[in-house]
Amino acid sequence: AQSVTQLDSQVPVFEEAPVELRCNYSSSVSVYLFWYVQYPNQGLQLLLKYLSGSTLVKGINGFEAEFNKSQTSFHLRKPSVHISDTAEYFCAVISYNQGGKLIFGQGTELSVKP
Amino acid sequence: EAGVTQFPSHSVIEKGQTVTLRCDPISGHDNLYWYRRVMGKEIKFLLHFVKESKQDESGMPNNRFLAERTGGTYSTLKVQPAELEDSGVYFCASSQWAGGYGNEQFFGPGTRLTVL
């Protein structure tokens, strides 16, 4: 069975500081990896995804993530956050043999303070 | 292009009543997924349609939940009778089929269901 662990439930940071949201996964088969963001009162929006190829993936709004197969991690980073980045972030995986269902982590609430 | 829409946005019902949630996917998307987030927990998969066929319903909690996708367009999720533990946010997502499952799933805003 697959599982995703987001190591921090809440991350408070000051504006313009760098941030890293951590994600580890467990799977016996190969996976696709995703980060979604949910702004207040909105649906989930895809930030970035890793399917294959380069392990450093760049997404929207200046976010990037690095796939580390040996550590089964897919941490999300941004060098300088803005107030508008305040939202909940979800790491998720799809296993190659599981028909497309996303397995989500518990979510990380990023709070950017002025 | 219109995104995934869900109706209603909120629903408050009494235990034992019936509720039907609706999802309209992006036009042309063959894949349609339902997910649920119970308060304090992670978002969990409920089921997956490919066109009008149920591809995977392994996440449906019990037989009080019935999902349909007539004609391969919109989908409904009926809860009958509702129990307190059914409260949560129900998300619908859709994606194109392109020979694999790495395509982006586009999510609707969710329906917040409260069972009293």
Side-chain angles (χ1 to χ4, degrees), chain B residues 36-84:
Chain B
R36 176 176 75 170
R37 190 181 196 191
V38 172
M39 186 178 292
K41 300 290 185 65
E42 67 271 26
I43 300 170
K44 285 196 170 180
F45 166 82
L46 295 178
L47 87 159
H48 170 207
F49 285 99
V50 177
K51 297 185 179 179
E52 66 275 10
S53 299
K54 291 178 185 175
Q55 182 80 6
D56 180 359
E57 50 184 333
S58 62
M60 295 287 263
N62 51 61
N63 59 11
R64 294 185 293 103
F65 288 75
L66 175 64
E68 295 179 327
R69 191 181 183 196
T70 306
T73 55
Y74 71 91
S75 174
T76 58
L77 180 64
K78 180 188 287 188
V79 185
Q80 179 182 29
E83 298 288 346
L84 299 179

Side-chain angles (χ1 to χ4, degrees), chain A residues 32 34 36 38 41-46 49 51 88 90 94 96 98-107, chain B residues 31 33 35 37 41-45 48 55-56 58-59 89 91 100-110:
Chain A
Y32 301 124
F34 303 81
Y36 280 85
Q38 185 181 23
N41 301 315
Q42 295 185 28
L44 280 72
Q45 179 183 359
L46 182 67
K49 63 182 179 181
L51 304 184
E88 190 162 19
F90 297 93
I94 290 176
Y96 283 10
Q98 290 290 309
K101 65 181 178 186
L102 285 159
I103 307 297
F104 284 91
Q106 300 90 331
Chain B
N31 291 306
Y33 302 84
Y35 296 88
R37 190 181 196 191
K41 300 290 185 65
E42 67 271 26
I43 300 170
K44 285 196 170 180
F45 166 82
H48 170 207
Q55 182 80 6
D56 180 359
S58 62
V89 181
F91 292 102
Y101 290 107
N103 290 324
E104 177 179 356
Q105 291 184 26
F106 293 84
F107 280 77

Side-chain angles (χ1 to χ4, degrees), chain A residues 6-97:
Chain A
Q6 292 183 241
L7 296 153
D8 306 292
S9 59
Q10 295 180 320
V11 174
V13 293
F14 287 106
E15 193 172 19
E16 298 183 7
V19 70
E20 179 180 80
L21 306 184
R22 297 178 295 169
C23 172
N24 286 90
Y25 69 94
S26 172
S27 177
S28 57
V29 299
S30 296
V31 296
Y32 301 124
L33 296 144
F34 303 81
W35 275 98
Y36 280 85
V37 60
Q38 185 181 23
Y39 299 104
N41 301 315
Q42 295 185 28
L44 280 72
Q45 179 183 359
L46 182 67
L47 270 179
L48 48 80
K49 63 182 179 181
Y50 173 79
L51 304 184
S52 64
S54 173
T55 58
L56 182 63
V57 180
K58 294 189 182 298
I60 61 171
N61 301 338
F63 284 93
E64 64 180 33
E66 185 153 21
F67 170 53
N68 187 318
K69 188 174 182 179
S70 63
Q71 297 186 4
T72 60
S73 68
F74 191 53
H75 301 332
L76 181 70
R77 302 185 184 96
K78 186 170 183 178
S80 176
V81 294
H82 303 288
I83 298 288
S84 59
D85 292 323
T86 295
E88 190 162 19
Y89 292 78
F90 297 93
C91 182
V93 303
I94 290 176
S95 295
Y96 283 10
N97 63 352

Side-chain angles (χ1 to χ4, degrees), chain B residues 9-11 21 35-40 65 83-91 110-115:
Chain B
S9 57
H10 293 84
S11 180
L21 313 182
Y35 296 88
R36 176 176 75 170
R37 190 181 196 191
V38 172
M39 186 178 292
F65 288 75
E83 298 288 346
L84 299 179
E85 63 264 25
D86 300 332
S87 296
V89 181
Y90 290 75
F91 292 102
T111 293
R112 182 174 296 278
L113 175 63
T114 302
V115 183

Side-chain angles (χ1 to χ4, degrees), chain B residues 1-5 24-27 94 106-108:
Chain B
E1 178 183 291
V4 177
T5 58
D24 285 80
I26 293 172
S27 177
S94 71
F106 293 84
F107 280 77

